[in-house]
Amino acid sequence: MTVEFDTTSPKFAAYSEPGRLVTGEWLQERLGTPGLVVVESDEDVLLYETGHIPGAVKVDWHTELNDPVVRDYVDGEGFAKLLSRKGISRDDTVVIYGDKNNWWAAYALWVFSLFGHEDVRLLDGGRDKWISEGRPLTTDATTPEPTDYPVVERDDSVLRAYKEDVLAHLGNPLIDVRSPEEYSGERTSAPAYPEEGALRAGHIPTAQSVPWAKAVAEDGGFKSREELDAIYREGAGLKDGDSVVAYCRIGERSSHTWFVLKHLLGFDDVRNYDGSWTEWGSAVRVPIVSGAEPGEVPGR
Amino acid sequence: MSETVLPARLAEIREEFLELDEPDRLQLLLEFSQELPEVPAQYADHPEMCERVAECQSPVYIVIDVDDDDRVAMHATAPAEAPTTRGFASILAQGLTGLTADEVLAVPDDFPQSIGLTRAVSPLRIAGMTGMLMRAKRQVRAKRGA
């Protein structure tokens, strides 16, 4: 059973898939609705425990979405177990929110999408906006009724790019969503994330630099359709029909941009390269460009 | 396993974590995060005297005092929205404060990996605590006898 879309926001109405976002007001009115599961996914593994939206369950990307050994996501069986434990059914409406402007929420949404979970939405503005609007939080534990989520194998072919896919993609649009310093190669890790380093610095040849935060409005939600078009179409030169790959350092900030391109601006073929710079910047013999210019596709 | 003798308070903290199962270890870390004391006024008013721990994903600052008797005190500040980082800072502040400079320098560098949180919290996040310990030791070296 799915829950109706949030049609209250004129901002959402202009996006290509308005139903992918919900407002705090809409969500608060519907908490506890059968068929609606609220999921919190944060960078900080304990933030949920300090207070969460009433009834929300936590999904942690490090300890629950990632495979504990291989650098990959859980498999179909692992995902089915996880969602069953969280009380999510295959046809439930899932609304995800989190800290850091929904970085990890967007990441979780993308992983849910790899498994083909159809109705998965973001709370616009995430945790911070919910709090700033004075909406309720609780430390009461959520005890979901376990479900029987089916085992569905992950499909990486449509939404996910591997390193080999990116090599084959060169010549098509790439969006680098890291900070300008990481793009130019002054540093290999984000200012506050030095442990996620790589051996070489710079960017993938021809990638346009569009830091993820450009898509975020002052209130922490997404910018309007018009503003986003100006950034990604006029600014970065994306055109309808383009095949686009977004990347960052480990794939979470680029999930945020992936969400914008795929669901708000309606680009059909957008993939997230989750290996991102921690893979590319340490891989042997892949082309790298340093400096502020995108650079050229190397001759093959 | 290294057989270095841990200072009593750190050993006690490690015991407290290891005797719990993983979900309860997270709860204990949350309790530590709530116990992180305010930094003394002279530092609260002068954040430039504190050192940013770049290994942590959230803005966390630490400052070490070494008094005339070579006794160490560690203070730290981290935002409420970063409870994991606050918890790490609180463990170290409680565990290192009151030790002598030599005792702090002898704390094994892998202490953060030894308290049973690596899987519950993830190795990447634990790296933030290691960064904090390294920086604390560096400050002890710089400030002792200064």
PDB file of all heavy atoms in Angstrom, chain A residues 215-247:
ATOM      1  N   ALA A 215      23.099  22.735  -4.975  1.00  0.00           N
ATOM      2  CA  ALA A 215      21.693  22.357  -5.159  1.00  0.00           C
ATOM      3  C   ALA A 215      20.837  22.657  -3.932  1.00  0.00           C
ATOM      4  O   ALA A 215      19.634  22.428  -3.938  1.00  0.00           O
ATOM      5  CB  ALA A 215      21.595  20.863  -5.492  1.00  0.00           C
ATOM      6  N   VAL A 216      21.482  23.177  -2.870  1.00  0.00           N
ATOM      7  CA  VAL A 216      20.770  23.349  -1.606  1.00  0.00           C
ATOM      8  C   VAL A 216      20.376  24.806  -1.393  1.00  0.00           C
ATOM      9  O   VAL A 216      21.195  25.711  -1.555  1.00  0.00           O
ATOM     10  CB  VAL A 216      21.652  22.871  -0.429  1.00  0.00           C
ATOM     11  CG1 VAL A 216      20.957  23.105   0.906  1.00  0.00           C
ATOM     12  CG2 VAL A 216      21.993  21.401  -0.594  1.00  0.00           C
ATOM     13  N   ALA A 217      19.120  25.023  -1.044  1.00  0.00           N
ATOM     14  CA  ALA A 217      18.616  26.376  -0.774  1.00  0.00           C
ATOM     15  C   ALA A 217      18.987  26.798   0.643  1.00  0.00           C
ATOM     16  O   ALA A 217      19.473  25.995   1.444  1.00  0.00           O
ATOM     17  CB  ALA A 217      17.100  26.401  -0.950  1.00  0.00           C
ATOM     18  N   GLU A 218      18.735  28.060   0.927  1.00  0.00           N
ATOM     19  CA  GLU A 218      19.098  28.587   2.244  1.00  0.00           C
ATOM     20  C   GLU A 218      18.375  27.866   3.384  1.00  0.00           C
ATOM     21  O   GLU A 218      18.927  27.711   4.472  1.00  0.00           O
ATOM     22  CB  GLU A 218      18.743  30.068   2.302  1.00  0.00           C
ATOM     23  CG  GLU A 218      19.866  30.935   2.831  1.00  0.00           C
ATOM     24  CD  GLU A 218      19.589  32.378   2.498  1.00  0.00           C
ATOM     25  OE1 GLU A 218      18.817  32.994   3.253  1.00  0.00           O
ATOM     26  OE2 GLU A 218      20.124  32.878   1.490  1.00  0.00           O
ATOM     27  N   ASP A 219      17.161  27.406   3.131  1.00  0.00           N
ATOM     28  CA  ASP A 219      16.416  26.732   4.196  1.00  0.00           C
ATOM     29  C   ASP A 219      16.825  25.262   4.349  1.00  0.00           C
ATOM     30  O   ASP A 219      16.233  24.527   5.130  1.00  0.00           O
ATOM     31  CB  ASP A 219      14.905  26.839   3.951  1.00  0.00           C
ATOM     32  CG  ASP A 219      14.432  26.041   2.738  1.00  0.00           C
ATOM     33  OD1 ASP A 219      15.288  25.416   2.057  1.00  0.00           O
ATOM     34  OD2 ASP A 219      13.221  26.033   2.465  1.00  0.00           O
ATOM     35  N   GLY A 220      17.841  24.821   3.592  1.00  0.00           N
ATOM     36  CA  GLY A 220      18.316  23.447   3.714  1.00  0.00           C
ATOM     37  C   GLY A 220      17.627  22.488   2.760  1.00  0.00           C
ATOM     38  O   GLY A 220      18.069  21.361   2.586  1.00  0.00           O
ATOM     39  N   GLY A 221      16.534  22.904   2.147  1.00  0.00           N
ATOM     40  CA  GLY A 221      15.850  22.067   1.159  1.00  0.00           C
ATOM     41  C   GLY A 221      16.522  22.214  -0.203  1.00  0.00           C
ATOM     42  O   GLY A 221      17.545  22.894  -0.345  1.00  0.00           O
ATOM     43  N   PHE A 222      15.941  21.573  -1.212  1.00  0.00           N
ATOM     44  CA  PHE A 222      16.490  21.709  -2.557  1.00  0.00           C
ATOM     45  C   PHE A 222      16.091  23.055  -3.150  1.00  0.00           C
ATOM     46  O   PHE A 222      15.045  23.603  -2.823  1.00  0.00           O
ATOM     47  CB  PHE A 222      15.976  20.575  -3.454  1.00  0.00           C
ATOM     48  CG  PHE A 222      16.567  19.239  -3.117  1.00  0.00           C
ATOM     49  CD1 PHE A 222      15.830  18.287  -2.437  1.00  0.00           C
ATOM     50  CD2 PHE A 222      17.880  18.948  -3.471  1.00  0.00           C
ATOM     51  CE1 PHE A 222      16.383  17.049  -2.119  1.00  0.00           C
ATOM     52  CE2 PHE A 222      18.442  17.713  -3.153  1.00  0.00           C
ATOM     53  CZ  PHE A 222      17.693  16.766  -2.471  1.00  0.00           C
ATOM     54  N   LYS A 223      16.952  23.574  -4.031  1.00  0.00           N
ATOM     55  CA  LYS A 223      16.615  24.801  -4.742  1.00  0.00           C
ATOM     56  C   LYS A 223      15.465  24.541  -5.722  1.00  0.00           C
ATOM     57  O   LYS A 223      15.131  23.402  -6.031  1.00  0.00           O
ATOM     58  CB  LYS A 223      17.837  25.313  -5.501  1.00  0.00           C
ATOM     59  CG  LYS A 223      18.851  26.005  -4.584  1.00  0.00           C
ATOM     60  CD  LYS A 223      20.020  26.560  -5.372  1.00  0.00           C
ATOM     61  CE  LYS A 223      20.966  27.293  -4.428  1.00  0.00           C
ATOM     62  NZ  LYS A 223      22.300  27.471  -5.036  1.00  0.00           N
ATOM     63  N   SER A 224      14.902  25.629  -6.232  1.00  0.00           N
ATOM     64  CA  SER A 224      13.769  25.510  -7.149  1.00  0.00           C
ATOM     65  C   SER A 224      14.217  24.932  -8.484  1.00  0.00           C
ATOM     66  O   SER A 224      15.399  24.947  -8.826  1.00  0.00           O
ATOM     67  CB  SER A 224      13.151  26.886  -7.387  1.00  0.00           C
ATOM     68  OG  SER A 224      14.043  27.666  -8.164  1.00  0.00           O
ATOM     69  N   ARG A 225      13.271  24.443  -9.232  1.00  0.00           N
ATOM     70  CA  ARG A 225      13.529  23.884 -10.555  1.00  0.00           C
ATOM     71  C   ARG A 225      14.323  24.871 -11.420  1.00  0.00           C
ATOM     72  O   ARG A 225      15.299  24.503 -12.074  1.00  0.00           O
ATOM     73  CB  ARG A 225      12.186  23.551 -11.233  1.00  0.00           C
ATOM     74  CG  ARG A 225      12.292  23.088 -12.686  1.00  0.00           C
ATOM     75  CD  ARG A 225      12.852  21.681 -12.711  1.00  0.00           C
ATOM     76  NE  ARG A 225      13.161  21.219 -14.055  1.00  0.00           N
ATOM     77  CZ  ARG A 225      12.466  20.279 -14.703  1.00  0.00           C
ATOM     78  NH1 ARG A 225      11.415  19.744 -14.144  1.00  0.00           N
ATOM     79  NH2 ARG A 225      12.843  19.867 -15.886  1.00  0.00           N
ATOM     80  N   GLU A 226      13.875  26.112 -11.375  1.00  0.00           N
ATOM     81  CA  GLU A 226      14.509  27.129 -12.207  1.00  0.00           C
ATOM     82  C   GLU A 226      15.983  27.312 -11.824  1.00  0.00           C
ATOM     83  O   GLU A 226      16.867  27.364 -12.680  1.00  0.00           O
ATOM     84  CB  GLU A 226      13.739  28.432 -11.991  1.00  0.00           C
ATOM     85  CG  GLU A 226      13.924  29.448 -13.072  1.00  0.00           C
ATOM     86  CD  GLU A 226      13.122  30.713 -12.743  1.00  0.00           C
ATOM     87  OE1 GLU A 226      12.145  30.617 -11.956  1.00  0.00           O
ATOM     88  OE2 GLU A 226      13.489  31.777 -13.237  1.00  0.00           O
ATOM     89  N   GLU A 227      16.221  27.396 -10.524  1.00  0.00           N
ATOM     90  CA  GLU A 227      17.605  27.557 -10.061  1.00  0.00           C
ATOM     91  C   GLU A 227      18.455  26.338 -10.416  1.00  0.00           C
ATOM     92  O   GLU A 227      19.616  26.461 -10.814  1.00  0.00           O
ATOM     93  CB  GLU A 227      17.626  27.769  -8.542  1.00  0.00           C
ATOM     94  CG  GLU A 227      17.026  29.090  -8.093  1.00  0.00           C
ATOM     95  CD  GLU A 227      16.797  29.138  -6.584  1.00  0.00           C
ATOM     96  OE1 GLU A 227      16.109  28.238  -6.032  1.00  0.00           O
ATOM     97  OE2 GLU A 227      17.304  30.069  -5.948  1.00  0.00           O
ATOM     98  N   LEU A 228      17.870  25.154 -10.264  1.00  0.00           N
ATOM     99  CA  LEU A 228      18.621  23.928 -10.564  1.00  0.00           C
ATOM    100  C   LEU A 228      18.917  23.815 -12.056  1.00  0.00           C
ATOM    101  O   LEU A 228      20.015  23.411 -12.461  1.00  0.00           O
ATOM    102  CB  LEU A 228      17.857  22.698 -10.071  1.00  0.00           C
ATOM    103  CG  LEU A 228      17.691  22.579  -8.550  1.00  0.00           C
ATOM    104  CD1 LEU A 228      16.803  21.387  -8.190  1.00  0.00           C
ATOM    105  CD2 LEU A 228      19.047  22.452  -7.846  1.00  0.00           C
ATOM    106  N   ASP A 229      17.950  24.196 -12.897  1.00  0.00           N
ATOM    107  CA  ASP A 229      18.190  24.193 -14.339  1.00  0.00           C
ATOM    108  C   ASP A 229      19.353  25.127 -14.686  1.00  0.00           C
ATOM    109  O   ASP A 229      20.190  24.808 -15.528  1.00  0.00           O
ATOM    110  CB  ASP A 229      16.928  24.637 -15.095  1.00  0.00           C
ATOM    111  CG  ASP A 229      15.967  23.478 -15.337  1.00  0.00           C
ATOM    112  OD1 ASP A 229      16.437  22.317 -15.380  1.00  0.00           O
ATOM    113  OD2 ASP A 229      14.755  23.729 -15.489  1.00  0.00           O
ATOM    114  N   ALA A 230      19.372  26.273 -14.031  1.00  0.00           N
ATOM    115  CA  ALA A 230      20.439  27.246 -14.322  1.00  0.00           C
ATOM    116  C   ALA A 230      21.804  26.659 -13.958  1.00  0.00           C
ATOM    117  O   ALA A 230      22.794  26.858 -14.664  1.00  0.00           O
ATOM    118  CB  ALA A 230      20.191  28.542 -13.544  1.00  0.00           C
ATOM    119  N   ILE A 231      21.853  25.900 -12.875  1.00  0.00           N
ATOM    120  CA  ILE A 231      23.137  25.344 -12.418  1.00  0.00           C
ATOM    121  C   ILE A 231      23.589  24.188 -13.307  1.00  0.00           C
ATOM    122  O   ILE A 231      24.733  24.142 -13.760  1.00  0.00           O
ATOM    123  CB  ILE A 231      23.008  24.862 -10.951  1.00  0.00           C
ATOM    124  CG1 ILE A 231      22.801  26.067 -10.029  1.00  0.00           C
ATOM    125  CG2 ILE A 231      24.232  24.061 -10.535  1.00  0.00           C
ATOM    126  CD1 ILE A 231      22.259  25.709  -8.658  1.00  0.00           C
ATOM    127  N   TYR A 232      22.680  23.239 -13.566  1.00  0.00           N
ATOM    128  CA  TYR A 232      23.105  22.007 -14.226  1.00  0.00           C
ATOM    129  C   TYR A 232      22.973  22.065 -15.749  1.00  0.00           C
ATOM    130  O   TYR A 232      23.757  21.457 -16.459  1.00  0.00           O
ATOM    131  CB  TYR A 232      22.334  20.808 -13.661  1.00  0.00           C
ATOM    132  CG  TYR A 232      22.677  20.562 -12.210  1.00  0.00           C
ATOM    133  CD1 TYR A 232      21.857  21.023 -11.181  1.00  0.00           C
ATOM    134  CD2 TYR A 232      23.864  19.920 -11.868  1.00  0.00           C
ATOM    135  CE1 TYR A 232      22.197  20.829  -9.848  1.00  0.00           C
ATOM    136  CE2 TYR A 232      24.205  19.714 -10.544  1.00  0.00           C
ATOM    137  CZ  TYR A 232      23.368  20.174  -9.530  1.00  0.00           C
ATOM    138  OH  TYR A 232      23.709  19.988  -8.222  1.00  0.00           O
ATOM    139  N   ARG A 233      21.984  22.780 -16.263  1.00  0.00           N
ATOM    140  CA  ARG A 233      21.857  22.862 -17.726  1.00  0.00           C
ATOM    141  C   ARG A 233      22.720  23.994 -18.270  1.00  0.00           C
ATOM    142  O   ARG A 233      23.639  23.769 -19.046  1.00  0.00           O
ATOM    143  CB  ARG A 233      20.401  23.053 -18.135  1.00  0.00           C
ATOM    144  CG  ARG A 233      19.550  21.807 -17.882  1.00  0.00           C
ATOM    145  CD  ARG A 233      18.089  22.069 -18.258  1.00  0.00           C
ATOM    146  NE  ARG A 233      17.215  21.033 -17.715  1.00  0.00           N
ATOM    147  CZ  ARG A 233      16.902  19.898 -18.353  1.00  0.00           C
ATOM    148  NH1 ARG A 233      17.368  19.664 -19.552  1.00  0.00           N
ATOM    149  NH2 ARG A 233      16.111  19.007 -17.785  1.00  0.00           N
ATOM    150  N   GLU A 234      22.431  25.209 -17.813  1.00  0.00           N
ATOM    151  CA  GLU A 234      23.214  26.332 -18.336  1.00  0.00           C
ATOM    152  C   GLU A 234      24.648  26.281 -17.836  1.00  0.00           C
ATOM    153  O   GLU A 234      25.595  26.411 -18.599  1.00  0.00           O
ATOM    154  CB  GLU A 234      22.552  27.659 -17.937  1.00  0.00           C
ATOM    155  CG  GLU A 234      21.257  27.912 -18.693  1.00  0.00           C
ATOM    156  CD  GLU A 234      20.268  28.734 -17.874  1.00  0.00           C
ATOM    157  OE1 GLU A 234      20.702  29.754 -17.292  1.00  0.00           O
ATOM    158  OE2 GLU A 234      19.082  28.346 -17.796  1.00  0.00           O
ATOM    159  N   GLY A 235      24.802  26.070 -16.520  1.00  0.00           N
ATOM    160  CA  GLY A 235      26.149  26.110 -15.933  1.00  0.00           C
ATOM    161  C   GLY A 235      27.013  24.937 -16.365  1.00  0.00           C
ATOM    162  O   GLY A 235      28.112  25.111 -16.901  1.00  0.00           O
ATOM    163  N   ALA A 236      26.534  23.722 -16.139  1.00  0.00           N
ATOM    164  CA  ALA A 236      27.362  22.538 -16.402  1.00  0.00           C
ATOM    165  C   ALA A 236      27.131  21.981 -17.806  1.00  0.00           C
ATOM    166  O   ALA A 236      27.802  21.033 -18.210  1.00  0.00           O
ATOM    167  CB  ALA A 236      27.083  21.463 -15.353  1.00  0.00           C
ATOM    168  N   GLY A 237      26.179  22.555 -18.540  1.00  0.00           N
ATOM    169  CA  GLY A 237      26.010  22.171 -19.940  1.00  0.00           C
ATOM    170  C   GLY A 237      25.286  20.858 -20.186  1.00  0.00           C
ATOM    171  O   GLY A 237      25.386  20.282 -21.271  1.00  0.00           O
ATOM    172  N   LEU A 238      24.535  20.367 -19.194  1.00  0.00           N
ATOM    173  CA  LEU A 238      23.811  19.113 -19.422  1.00  0.00           C
ATOM    174  C   LEU A 238      22.615  19.365 -20.344  1.00  0.00           C
ATOM    175  O   LEU A 238      21.960  20.403 -20.253  1.00  0.00           O
ATOM    176  CB  LEU A 238      23.321  18.525 -18.095  1.00  0.00           C
ATOM    177  CG  LEU A 238      24.400  18.132 -17.087  1.00  0.00           C
ATOM    178  CD1 LEU A 238      23.772  17.475 -15.866  1.00  0.00           C
ATOM    179  CD2 LEU A 238      25.426  17.199 -17.728  1.00  0.00           C
ATOM    180  N   LYS A 239      22.361  18.389 -21.221  1.00  0.00           N
ATOM    181  CA  LYS A 239      21.241  18.506 -22.161  1.00  0.00           C
ATOM    182  C   LYS A 239      20.344  17.278 -22.047  1.00  0.00           C
ATOM    183  O   LYS A 239      20.811  16.189 -21.692  1.00  0.00           O
ATOM    184  CB  LYS A 239      21.765  18.602 -23.601  1.00  0.00           C
ATOM    185  CG  LYS A 239      22.595  19.848 -23.858  1.00  0.00           C
ATOM    186  CD  LYS A 239      23.037  19.946 -25.315  1.00  0.00           C
ATOM    187  CE  LYS A 239      23.899  18.779 -25.782  1.00  0.00           C
ATOM    188  NZ  LYS A 239      25.221  18.695 -25.108  1.00  0.00           N
ATOM    189  N   ASP A 240      19.072  17.472 -22.400  1.00  0.00           N
ATOM    190  CA  ASP A 240      18.144  16.336 -22.408  1.00  0.00           C
ATOM    191  C   ASP A 240      18.739  15.215 -23.243  1.00  0.00           C
ATOM    192  O   ASP A 240      19.321  15.457 -24.296  1.00  0.00           O
ATOM    193  CB  ASP A 240      16.795  16.754 -23.010  1.00  0.00           C
ATOM    194  CG  ASP A 240      16.011  17.614 -22.044  1.00  0.00           C
ATOM    195  OD1 ASP A 240      16.182  17.433 -20.820  1.00  0.00           O
ATOM    196  OD2 ASP A 240      15.251  18.488 -22.502  1.00  0.00           O
ATOM    197  N   GLY A 241      18.581  14.008 -22.776  1.00  0.00           N
ATOM    198  CA  GLY A 241      19.097  12.872 -23.525  1.00  0.00           C
ATOM    199  C   GLY A 241      20.529  12.517 -23.166  1.00  0.00           C
ATOM    200  O   GLY A 241      21.034  11.470 -23.579  1.00  0.00           O
ATOM    201  N   ASP A 242      21.204  13.369 -22.385  1.00  0.00           N
ATOM    202  CA  ASP A 242      22.571  13.063 -21.975  1.00  0.00           C
ATOM    203  C   ASP A 242      22.604  11.845 -21.060  1.00  0.00           C
ATOM    204  O   ASP A 242      21.684  11.610 -20.268  1.00  0.00           O
ATOM    205  CB  ASP A 242      23.173  14.240 -21.185  1.00  0.00           C
ATOM    206  CG  ASP A 242      23.773  15.293 -22.108  1.00  0.00           C
ATOM    207  OD1 ASP A 242      23.906  15.019 -23.317  1.00  0.00           O
ATOM    208  OD2 ASP A 242      24.095  16.393 -21.613  1.00  0.00           O
ATOM    209  N   SER A 243      23.702  11.120 -21.172  1.00  0.00           N
ATOM    210  CA  SER A 243      24.000  10.095 -20.185  1.00  0.00           C
ATOM    211  C   SER A 243      25.002  10.730 -19.218  1.00  0.00           C
ATOM    212  O   SER A 243      26.035  11.228 -19.630  1.00  0.00           O
ATOM    213  CB  SER A 243      24.613   8.896 -20.901  1.00  0.00           C
ATOM    214  OG  SER A 243      25.188   8.030 -19.965  1.00  0.00           O
ATOM    215  N   VAL A 244      24.681  10.721 -17.929  1.00  0.00           N
ATOM    216  CA  VAL A 244      25.474  11.468 -16.953  1.00  0.00           C
ATOM    217  C   VAL A 244      25.976  10.535 -15.854  1.00  0.00           C
ATOM    218  O   VAL A 244      25.242   9.645 -15.412  1.00  0.00           O
ATOM    219  CB  VAL A 244      24.634  12.585 -16.280  1.00  0.00           C
ATOM    220  CG1 VAL A 244      25.512  13.482 -15.419  1.00  0.00           C
ATOM    221  CG2 VAL A 244      23.884  13.414 -17.317  1.00  0.00           C
ATOM    222  N   VAL A 245      27.212  10.735 -15.428  1.00  0.00           N
ATOM    223  CA  VAL A 245      27.733  10.044 -14.249  1.00  0.00           C
ATOM    224  C   VAL A 245      28.156  11.090 -13.230  1.00  0.00           C
ATOM    225  O   VAL A 245      28.841  12.057 -13.573  1.00  0.00           O
ATOM    226  CB  VAL A 245      28.933   9.130 -14.595  1.00  0.00           C
ATOM    227  CG1 VAL A 245      29.615   8.627 -13.317  1.00  0.00           C
ATOM    228  CG2 VAL A 245      28.481   7.948 -15.449  1.00  0.00           C
ATOM    229  N   ALA A 246      27.719  10.914 -11.990  1.00  0.00           N
ATOM    230  CA  ALA A 246      28.122  11.807 -10.906  1.00  0.00           C
ATOM    231  C   ALA A 246      29.045  11.048  -9.955  1.00  0.00           C
ATOM    232  O   ALA A 246      28.870   9.853  -9.745  1.00  0.00           O
ATOM    233  CB  ALA A 246      26.900  12.306 -10.141  1.00  0.00           C
ATOM    234  N   TYR A 247      30.023  11.753  -9.415  1.00  0.00           N
ATOM    235  CA  TYR A 247      30.905  11.106  -8.433  1.00  0.00           C
ATOM    236  C   TYR A 247      31.377  12.125  -7.415  1.00  0.00           C
ATOM    237  O   TYR A 247      31.286  13.327  -7.629  1.00  0.00           O
ATOM    238  CB  TYR A 247      32.105  10.438  -9.119  1.00  0.00           C
ATOM    239  CG  TYR A 247      33.148  11.397  -9.667  1.00  0.00           C
ATOM    240  CD1 TYR A 247      34.279  11.745  -8.916  1.00  0.00           C
ATOM    241  CD2 TYR A 247      33.008  11.960 -10.930  1.00  0.00           C
ATOM    242  CE1 TYR A 247      35.236  12.614  -9.419  1.00  0.00           C
ATOM    243  CE2 TYR A 247      33.967  12.838 -11.441  1.00  0.00           C
ATOM    244  CZ  TYR A 247      35.075  13.161 -10.681  1.00  0.00           C
ATOM    245  OH  TYR A 247      36.017  14.025 -11.169  1.00  0.00           O
TER     246      TYR A 247
END
